[in-house]
Amino acid sequence: MKIIFKLHATLRDYLPAEATHHRTRIEIDVPESTTVQQVIDRYDMPANLVHLVLVDGVYLDKKARSVRVLQSGEALAIWPPVAGG
């Protein structure tokens, strides 16, 4: 099944090779019953960089990521920690 995978800021470096450098999102194929954490693991994103995780705009805390199964067409968006003033 296909989902939209969005990585923001420094996490863009973890997008699949077929994504062009200026893109922050790509459509990817994942097996049925794939969890959010399985996608994070698939792209080798360091846990300390995976801060804000949303599925179709809904926040998922760390515990929910390993049990939340993605559905076809959903958008998974991930941001690293951000600091500023």
Side-chain angles (χ1 to χ4, degrees), residues 26-61:
I26 189 169
E27 189 173 77
I28 61 170
D29 285 310
V30 297
E32 298 285 331
S33 303
T34 296
T35 66
V36 169
Q37 188 61 51
Q38 287 171 321
V39 174
I40 292 168
D41 294 343
R42 175 178 168 181
Y43 291 99
D44 296 320
M45 288 179 274
N48 65 320
L49 293 182
V50 176
H51 181 67
L52 180 62
V53 178
L54 305 175
V55 175
D56 283 347
V58 177
Y59 172 73
L60 291 178
D61 65 23

Side-chain angles (χ1 to χ4, degrees), residues 67-80:
V67 295
R68 174 56 163 83
V69 174
L70 294 162
Q71 303 297 315
S72 182
E74 287 186 316
L76 170 60
I78 304 172
W79 284 263

